[in-house]
Each structure stands twice: as structure tokens, then as C-alpha cells.
Amino acid sequence: MHDFRYKGKYLYCEKVKLEDLAGRFGTPLYVYSYRTLIDHYLKLEKAFRPVKALICYSVKANSNLAILKALIAHGAGLDIVSGGELFRALKAGCPAEKIVYASVGKTDGEIEEAIRRGILFFNVESLPELANINRIAAKLNKITRVAIRINPDVEAKTHKFITTGKITNKFGIDLKNAYKILCMRNNFRHIRICGLHIHIGSQITESSPFVSAIKKVAVFILELKRKGIYLEYLNIGGGLGIVYDRETPQTAQRYASKIMPLLKKTGLKIILEPGRFIVGNAGILLTKVLYIKSTPKKKFVIVDAGMNDLIRPALYGAHHNILPLIKVPGAEKTDVVGPICESGDFLAKERRIPKVKEGMYLAVMSAGAYGFSMSSNYNSRRRAEEVMVKRNKVFVIRTRETYADLVRNEAK
Amino acid sequence: MHDFRYKGKYLYCEKVKLEDLAGRFGTPLYVYSYRTLIDHYLKLEKAFRPVKALICYSVKANSNLAILKALIAHGAGLDIVSGGELFRALKAGCPAEKIVYASVGKTDGEIEEAIRRGILFFNVESLPELANINRIAAKLNKITRVAIRINPDVEAKTHKFITTGKITNKFGIDLKNAYKILCMRNNFRHIRICGLHIHIGSQITESSPFVSAIKKVAVFILELKRKGIYLEYLNIGGGLGIVYDRETPQTAQRYASKIMPLLKKTGLKIILEPGRFIVGNAGILLTKVLYIKSTPKKKFVIVDAGMNDLIRPALYGAHHNILPLIKVPGAEKTDVVGPICESGDFLAKERRIPKVKEGMYLAVMSAGAYGFSMSSNYNSRRRAEEVMVKRNKVFVIRTRETYADLVRNEAK
């Protein structure tokens, strides 16, 4: 599954002892395994090779330039959601024709820049947005490509915050209205509607929601064909779940086997937008135990990583396994909490973990996706350093912020 | 209550039309009223003048240097929770002897720096932390002051994430163990225990939890006196609730009248640590309507501020009023949502707001506290600009980030 394993009593990332990294770079520290990252990308790429799918990595999961560069070097395209992500994608060297752009709230400036750069297409989320893209393309005297994001109204069976394919969500367009838009496509003279897009949510561990959604869209595509509306792309989004705890998510191969027949039937070029699947288990967060605090009711392991570094437990009630970098015997029920002044600042609650002591280091597992990318400076804390391990080599891919960084843009 | 008011059909901050600010600086934009900020500080300062309380503003609520400077100029001290906040406090010109430092997870480096700078005292959260501060003070050959943070085990009647005075929370020390620590105070030769601290939570709108907590501590202080343990300070923390929606929180005067008799009885110097009470209603977040999206089930107002700019609705289910900068007739039930690719990215759900159109600006009210300070670069979005209004003048107190800022610390 991933390259974070004990060898003897020490936890390693590939060939590097994590205890050494924590000592050398300090904590909190994000550590990524190059091999795990690429391995997960290739698993999907291979599974979908029969339809020559373009895998557009979802930048929002982890937008570090080094992560993007590594994936681009292996042939990945990118799925972006903002002007900032377009900037990152281009800076990392992604060819514009491998970039797809989704978001319910694209601004004029962002749309203009993406058209100028010649991205593959926009995933369009509403009729007013379509009209706006057409207006801006007209101003630039260009014709730009779009895919209509369909809201297939399926239940993704995941956290309500990351369900995006229900009709009550802000995302996409229902089939009926999508059809209306396709029929009036000639009104938008600076747009070519070249495809459909779906993305029903995130951290989905079973294939049935995907199958339901793709079936609906596949039927729709055939209907359109019969009516003389021909498309080129089907973008099936991302959302593949990973193992955080005891999940048993579908493999890339199994996912592909379930949906490939449907995809082939459409005859369209296929695009995928995985984020978490590729980077989730390729990263961990190292933290140091500052204090062991015993109270009459509870035992707290207080660590130096907080909700500003990893907000998933507080925001989604997410589970992350916690392992000591050096194996210790025993186990005890504890709350693992950060230094932030809120009770919401925890990494684990009422969790049995090994009997650690002050000064020891812990690894918060599966923190590669939506870890650093959601981190903040709350409590005026500097954001963590990020390093990438490649066999026995270590590369700093983002240095720790300084105090001066915190006030850089403020009036002195 | 605050200086954001309609004059005719336009919403103003003091003497400045907000529509003009949104146009001039772009959105999302945080706008603060200097007068409201200082007014709230002075309300507390006046209410507690009879005991000459030191008001230590809680930096984590909003740590912008301009906010800190304005309060320091009016006599405020600062309540800090990290080395980054110590850096900010000193940079803003706060005298070290007006700084108190709380956090369950102070690192060695942070403790050392605070001792060197000669802060007023640490609020100590556990016995291991006390021992650690003593060890570091010994190394520096100094004697440093601490207050013991008491966990009074009272129900603060607020969101579970911001309740901090229950015995199951990670904060403070129960009375029995606090007494034990006070009895062994001579073992810590580099520490002088000079006071007690309590802080039971945040956004507490009624006085009864405060009264319960302070009563418990006041009784404890008198017991200690009888046993020959004399203290100098009682730090009663913060947590005063404000109006977000229909709350009717206690005023500063009413709060003071309820607890002043208890405080006077202790004979100790009083410290307060308000954050939200001072800055919460002194700031708003301006945002632009990008698209109006009608779906079969819902109407969405899509704006250019997201959960990365203001995470309180997603994280705490918090309510913020939403007002148009130019009054418009009608009202309709809508979801006001941001551009971020999560269903958790909303500012209001199923809320009746005026019938706004694309291109109009909205004010998200009461966003001065835990707004910008919790903001992030999620979705590679640049953090908002911040401006301070003082009568008819406008000061940029933090410029909008650039795309280059996003990757500043990353390997190129």
C-alpha cells in the first residue's frame, strides 16, 4: 500500500529512518514518499490504459510544486480549481492542454487567464458561468472548450461536506437543464461544448455510487448522439477512497473493471481527476510529544502539531492512524491533542496508542491529501516544513515559515 | 453596538461607503472599524476600572499588527498562545510586562524566548509543563512567574470545540491537583507561582458559567490564604459572547457587576483576556456575488469568499448575518456558498436574504474575530486584503497575497 514501514523497531519512509528526519528538520514535518506517490499514479494509469485515459491529478489535495512536477514527469495532467492552482500548474511545467478547470466560482480574471493559456477545457457548473465564459472568450476573440458538469443526483456515501453529486449540492447541472443548454449551444459562439464532467464526492470506498453516476451519464451521452449532439470527452472526476483506518476501498484495477464497459460504450476520451487516491497515503505528518498530561478523567498526549497543521479530524471527524517512530510496548487509551487553544484541536480521541513518553516522535499517517493544503497560520503558528524522500535521499520541498513570513504583508 | 450602518441605501463603515472600498481594493476584503474596536476595549476597561484590571487582548482572535498597536496604544496588554504571537506582540510594541502566555503545548524554544523577554507570567496547564519551565529558567539562571490554570469543571454552554473549562478538556488543572502543586512550590526554585488563571470557553452569552467558575476559584484563593499561600494575580480569562444573530449577551457593565464582588473579595490584581468581545463586531468580510445559480431544489448565491477566508460556518456551524452593501428589495431563501470545491464551503444555508444580483457586494457581518486569523490558502487561494477604517480614512493593514507568495517557500 505505501512505503512507510517498520524495520526492526524503527519506522522508515523508503530507506530513510523517520526518527532521523524529525531530529534533522524539526517538527511538525510533512514527509512524502516519492515511490508511493508515483506507484499510486501508475496504478490508475495502468488500470485505465485500455481507454488511454488522461489522469488529471487534483491539485487541491496537495499542491506542492514538487508533487506536481513528479506527477507531470510521469505523464499526468492536472485538475485545477482556481487561478492560484493555474499558476502552480504552469510553474510546475504542466502543458496547458493537459489542464482541466472546475469550480462553481470562477472569477472573470481567472477565466481570462485560463483562456489565454489555452487549457484543455473548463468544467462548467452553471448556465450563468457558461454565459460568462462565452462573454470573456468573445472579448479575447477566442473559442474556448468546456465540459458541462452534470449533477447526477447520486448518494456518494461519504462525509456530507465532501458529497458533491446530490441535487441539493451547489455543484453541476441536472440532466434536464444540461440537455437544454446543449440544445442552445449555438447561442454561445465562443464556446465549444466538448464533453461532460461528473464528480460525485471524495473518499468514496465502494464502486456502486460511481457506477450509478456513470450509467446515468452514459445513457445521456447515447441519447445526445441519437439527437446529433456529439461530444469528445467524458471526465469522470475523482473521489476514490483510501485506507485511513479499516476501510477496504476498491483497488484501481477493480474500479476500472467495474466502469470500463460503460466508458467504452460511450466511445469518448476519458479523463480522471484523482487527488487523495494518489497522494493520501504518500504523506505523513511527524510530530513530537511535548507533554503527557494525566487528569482525573483522561490522559492527554500533547503534541506539537495542531489543527492548523491538519484540520481533518476537527472538520470532518476524520480518522488518522498514529504510530510512534520507535516502537514502544504497551497501549493506553488517550486523547492526542495539539497546542492550539480550542477543544477542537485534536488528532485522536479516546484512542488506544502505544505508551509514549515526552520527547518521542509520532507519525500521523495518511496525511498526504488535504493536510498541508488546508493548513493555516492560526494561533500565529508557522506552517510545517515539507520533505520528499526518494529511496535514501531527502529533498526539502518547502521550508518552514519564519516569524517574519507571518507579518510579511502587514503594515509595519 | 458597532459602526457598520446603512445611511440611506448604502452600508457604511464609520464615514466610509463600503461599496467604494470593495471596488477600490477588490474582494474578498476584511474591513475593520477603528472606533468599534477601541469602543469595545474601553467598555471593558471602564467596567473593570474599580479593580484596575489589566485587559490582555487575546491575540489569536485577530493578530494583525495594526489591531494590536491600536489596543496597546490604549493601554491593553496581550494574551498570547505561541512563539509567533510573542513575536507579533513585541513587534507591535507591547511591553513584555503586559504579556501573559497560555497554551497546553509550549515548546522549549517558545518558553526560553518568553523568559528572556521577561513576560508578566505563563499560564501553566500541567505539572510536566511547570517542571519544564523551571528547568529552562534554571538553565537561563532566571526566576520566572507563573499562574496555575485551574480547570473549574463548569459547563460553559457554548460549542463543544470552544468549551475549555470541563474536566474532560485538555486545559488547566483540577483544584485538588492545583493545591498539591502549590504545596510543593518550593521544589521549583526558578519559578514563582504568582496567580491563578481560568478560561472556561468562548462565545459565552450568560454570566452564570463565569460566576460559577470564579466562585470556585475565589473560595480556593481564600483557603490558600488561610494556609499561608499568598498570590498576587487572578486571571479570569476571556470568553465573553457577542451578537452574531439574536443572542442577547451580557454587556461589559453587567458582566462586571455580577463578578466584581467576588473579585474584590480575593484582594488580587485582576487580569482579563477578551478577544472576540473586542474585535468580533469590529470587522466584516466583503465579498462579491459571482453567479446566481438556480437548481431544481435550491437557489445558490455563489460568492468570491470561501471557507478558506472564513471557516467558522463550516467548522462551528456559526451564524454570520449577510447584508448587501446597497439595499435591495425582496427576500428569498438561498444558500450563500463560496467557490471552494466542497459542500462544506458555505457562508449561510437556507437563509432568507435580499434578492441580490450578480456583481453586487455582500457584507458578512461580525467577522472580526477568528476570521482572518483562521484563514488559509486552501484551493491555492490568496488570503484576503485587510483594511482599517478610521472616520473617513482608510488604511491598508495587510495587502492581498500574490501568487508568488503562495510558492515562496517551495523548491523551485
Side-chain angles (χ1 to χ4, degrees):
Chain A
M1 300 292 286
H2 59 69
D3 294 275
F4 300 94
R5 286 198 208 90
Y6 284 106
K7 291 179 197 167
K9 59 188 234 183
Y10 295 102
L11 191 65
Y12 277 75
C13 174
E14 303 196 13
K15 296 185 175 304
V16 173
K17 198 188 276 185
L18 286 164
E19 180 80 6
D20 294 344
L21 284 191
R24 184 168 152 207
F25 296 102
T27 49
L29 177 71
Y30 275 97
V31 181
Y32 305 101
S33 157
Y34 183 86
R35 207 173 89 106
T36 308
L37 178 75
I38 299 306
D39 178 56
H40 281 81
Y41 169 76
L42 290 178
K43 273 180 180 150
L44 269 178
E45 193 272 330
K46 274 177 205 153
F48 286 90
R49 203 170 286 171
V51 292
K52 291 194 199 98
L54 175 64
I55 314 282
C56 289
Y57 166 72
S58 178
V59 175
K60 63 182 178 294
N62 187 318
S63 58
N64 190 293
L65 292 173
I67 304 265
L68 304 186
K69 282 179 194 167
L71 293 168
I72 292 165
H74 285 79
L78 297 177
D79 156 39
I80 64 166
V81 297
S82 71
E85 288 193 357
L86 177 60
F87 172 81
R88 282 182 173 278
L90 297 171
K91 193 154 187 82
C94 188
E97 64 273 18
K98 284 187 169 180
I99 297 174
V100 291
Y101 185 171
S103 160
V104 296
K106 304 175 188 89
T107 65
D108 291 0
E110 289 174 323
I111 292 167
E112 179 164 337
E113 181 67 9
I115 295 175
R116 282 188 193 282
R117 296 297 188 149
I119 63 165
L120 181 55
F121 57 73
F122 293 96
N123 295 315
V124 165
E125 308 258 6
S126 67
L127 182 56
E129 184 199 328
L130 192 76
N132 199 36
I133 293 175
N134 185 62
R135 182 185 63 77
I136 294 167
K139 195 187 77 178
L140 300 175
N141 201 22
K142 299 235 184 188
I143 290 173
T144 194
R145 287 167 305 278
V146 309
I148 302 291
R149 177 166 179 177
I150 301 292
N151 186 319
D153 197 21
V154 298
E155 179 51 68
K157 302 177 188 169
T158 185
H159 189 282
K160 64 177 177 175
F161 278 7
I162 50 178
T163 295
T164 58
K166 288 289 289 174
I167 203 69
T168 48
N169 298 140
K170 66 183 175 183
F171 301 98
I173 299 169
D174 63 294
L175 284 172
K176 206 169 127 189
N177 279 303
Y179 180 66
K180 275 190 206 161
I181 289 171
L182 281 157
C183 289
M184 56 198 262
R185 65 194 181 284
N186 293 332
N187 296 357
F188 303 105
R189 305 182 61 88
H190 289 270
I191 277 177
R192 190 162 67 77
I193 300 180
C194 67
L196 298 181
H197 173 232
I198 47 172
H199 177 71
I200 59 173
S202 194
Q203 182 54 17
I204 303 167
T205 52
E206 37 183 308
S207 59
S208 60
F210 293 114
V211 171
S212 308
I214 294 172
K215 258 189 195 154
K216 281 192 183 183
V217 175
V219 168
F220 185 57
I221 289 167
L222 296 181
E223 275 174 25
L224 292 176
K225 257 190 210 168
R226 276 198 293 277
K227 289 182 169 144
I229 302 175
Y230 298 97
L231 300 170
E232 189 179 352
Y233 293 98
L234 173 56
N235 180 347
I236 59 171
L240 286 168
I242 64 166
V243 178
Y244 284 103
D245 187 13
R246 287 170 204 184
E247 301 89 348
T248 50
Q250 62 217 310
T251 61
Q253 205 57 55
R254 176 123 183 106
Y255 174 57
S257 73
K258 289 275 184 189
I259 63 172
M260 198 77 84
L262 295 166
L263 300 181
K264 280 184 178 162
K265 217 179 285 178
T266 67
L268 303 190
K269 292 181 194 160
I270 303 301
I271 293 176
L272 278 80
E273 299 173 334
R276 191 191 312 263
F277 182 87
I278 291 176
V279 75
N281 279 315
I284 64 173
L285 173 61
L286 301 190
T287 184
K288 189 179 184 174
V289 177
L290 296 175
Y291 303 103
I292 306 287
K293 178 171 178 178
S294 295
T295 75
K297 293 276 166 127
K298 280 200 172 205
K299 187 179 158 187
F300 294 97
V301 172
I302 299 171
V303 299
D304 69 356
M307 64 191 278
N308 75 300
D309 299 302
L310 181 67
I311 204 172
R312 300 188 69 257
L315 187 59
Y316 311 113
H319 176 103
H320 288 269
N321 283 330
I322 295 179
L323 301 176
L325 298 198
I326 304 177
K327 273 189 185 168
V328 284
E332 213 174 0
K333 201 190 266 183
T334 60
D335 281 17
V336 181
V337 299
I340 298 224
C341 292
E342 304 207 5
S343 293
D345 179 37
F346 60 87
L347 294 171
K349 282 211 165 180
E350 309 264 317
R351 177 92 60 86
R352 278 183 76 79
I353 66 160
K355 279 198 169 179
V356 294
K357 293 203 178 74
E358 289 166 12
M360 287 181 175
Y361 293 108
L362 300 175
V364 183
M365 305 302 291
S366 314
Y370 306 101
F372 189 90
S373 73
M374 298 187 86
S375 70
S376 77
N377 293 118
Y378 186 40
N379 276 205
S380 294
R381 286 166 55 80
R382 302 171 295 161
R383 281 175 291 187
E385 187 135 319
E386 293 180 285
V387 299
M388 172 91 84
V389 171
K390 201 171 172 178
R391 294 182 58 84
N392 60 351
K393 292 211 175 69
V394 183
F395 304 88
V396 174
I397 62 174
R398 185 177 167 110
T399 57
R400 193 178 304 283
E401 285 176 319
T402 62
Y403 288 150
D405 283 335
L406 297 178
V407 297
R408 183 184 299 281
N409 292 356
E410 292 178 26
K412 296 307 182 299
Chain B
M1 299 290 287
H2 59 70
D3 294 274
F4 300 94
R5 285 198 208 91
Y6 284 106
K7 292 179 198 166
K9 59 188 232 183
Y10 295 102
L11 191 65
Y12 277 76
C13 174
E14 303 195 13
K15 296 186 177 300
V16 174
K17 198 188 277 187
L18 286 164
E19 180 80 6
D20 294 344
L21 284 191
R24 182 167 154 207
F25 296 102
T27 48
L29 177 71
Y30 275 98
V31 181
Y32 306 101
S33 157
Y34 183 86
R35 207 174 89 108
T36 308
L37 178 76
I38 299 306
D39 177 55
H40 281 81
Y41 169 75
L42 290 179
K43 272 180 180 150
L44 268 178
E45 193 272 329
K46 272 177 205 152
F48 284 90
R49 203 169 285 170
V51 292
K52 290 193 200 100
L54 174 63
I55 314 281
C56 289
Y57 166 71
S58 179
V59 175
K60 63 182 178 295
N62 188 318
S63 58
N64 190 294
L65 292 172
I67 304 265
L68 304 186
K69 282 180 193 167
L71 293 168
I72 292 165
H74 284 79
L78 297 176
D79 157 37
I80 64 166
V81 297
S82 71
E85 287 193 357
L86 176 60
F87 172 81
R88 282 184 174 276
L90 296 171
K91 193 153 188 81
C94 187
E97 64 273 17
K98 282 186 169 181
I99 297 174
V100 291
Y101 186 170
S103 160
V104 296
K106 303 175 189 88
T107 65
D108 291 1
E110 289 174 324
I111 292 167
E112 180 165 334
E113 182 67 10
I115 295 174
R116 282 189 194 281
R117 297 296 188 150
I119 63 165
L120 181 55
F121 58 73
F122 293 96
N123 294 315
V124 166
E125 307 257 6
S126 68
L127 181 56
E129 184 199 329
L130 192 76
N132 200 35
I133 293 175
N134 185 62
R135 182 185 63 79
I136 295 168
K139 196 188 76 178
L140 300 175
N141 202 21
K142 300 236 183 185
I143 291 172
T144 193
R145 286 167 305 275
V146 308
I148 303 292
R149 177 165 178 178
I150 301 293
N151 185 319
D153 197 21
V154 298
E155 180 50 70
K157 302 178 190 170
T158 184
H159 189 283
K160 64 178 177 174
F161 278 8
I162 49 177
T163 295
T164 57
K166 288 288 290 176
I167 203 68
T168 49
N169 298 139
K170 66 183 176 184
F171 301 98
I173 299 169
D174 63 294
L175 284 172
K176 207 169 127 189
N177 279 304
Y179 180 66
K180 276 189 204 161
I181 290 172
L182 282 157
C183 290
M184 57 198 261
R185 66 196 181 284
N186 292 332
N187 297 357
F188 302 104
R189 304 182 64 87
H190 290 269
I191 276 176
R192 191 162 66 78
I193 300 180
C194 67
L196 298 182
H197 173 231
I198 47 173
H199 177 70
I200 59 173
S202 195
Q203 182 53 17
I204 303 166
T205 52
E206 38 182 308
S207 60
S208 60
F210 292 114
V211 171
S212 308
I214 294 171
K215 256 188 196 157
K216 280 192 182 182
V217 176
V219 168
F220 185 57
I221 290 167
L222 297 181
E223 275 172 25
L224 291 176
K225 255 190 210 168
R226 276 197 294 277
K227 289 179 170 150
I229 302 175
Y230 298 98
L231 300 171
E232 190 179 351
Y233 292 98
L234 173 57
N235 179 348
I236 60 170
L240 287 167
I242 65 167
V243 178
Y244 284 103
D245 187 13
R246 288 172 203 183
E247 301 90 346
T248 49
Q250 63 218 307
T251 60
Q253 205 57 54
R254 175 122 184 107
Y255 173 58
S257 73
K258 287 276 182 184
I259 63 172
M260 199 75 87
L262 295 165
L263 300 180
K264 281 185 177 161
K265 218 180 282 178
T266 67
L268 302 189
K269 291 181 194 161
I270 302 301
I271 293 176
L272 278 79
E273 298 172 334
R276 190 189 314 263
F277 182 87
I278 290 176
V279 75
N281 280 315
I284 63 174
L285 172 61
L286 301 190
T287 185
K288 188 178 184 173
V289 177
L290 296 175
Y291 303 103
I292 305 287
K293 177 171 177 177
S294 294
T295 75
K297 293 275 166 126
K298 279 199 172 206
K299 187 179 160 190
F300 294 97
V301 173
I302 299 171
V303 300
D304 69 355
M307 65 192 277
N308 76 299
D309 299 303
L310 181 67
I311 203 171
R312 300 189 69 258
L315 188 59
Y316 311 115
H319 176 103
H320 288 269
N321 284 329
I322 295 178
L323 301 175
L325 298 198
I326 303 177
K327 272 188 187 169
V328 283
E332 212 172 1
K333 200 191 266 184
T334 59
D335 281 17
V336 181
V337 300
I340 297 224
C341 292
E342 304 208 5
S343 293
D345 179 37
F346 60 89
L347 293 170
K349 283 210 165 182
E350 309 264 317
R351 178 93 59 87
R352 279 183 75 80
I353 65 160
K355 278 199 172 181
V356 294
K357 292 203 178 74
E358 290 167 12
M360 287 182 174
Y361 294 108
L362 300 174
V364 183
M365 305 301 291
S366 313
Y370 306 101
F372 189 91
S373 73
M374 297 188 87
S375 70
S376 77
N377 294 118
Y378 187 40
N379 277 205
S380 294
R381 286 166 54 79
R382 302 171 294 160
R383 281 175 291 188
E385 186 135 320
E386 294 179 284
V387 300
M388 173 92 82
V389 171
K390 201 171 170 178
R391 295 182 58 86
N392 60 351
K393 292 213 175 67
V394 183
F395 304 89
V396 175
I397 62 172
R398 184 176 169 111
T399 57
R400 193 178 305 281
E401 284 176 319
T402 62
Y403 288 150
D405 283 336
L406 297 178
V407 298
R408 183 184 299 282
N409 292 356
E410 291 179 26
K412 296 308 180 301

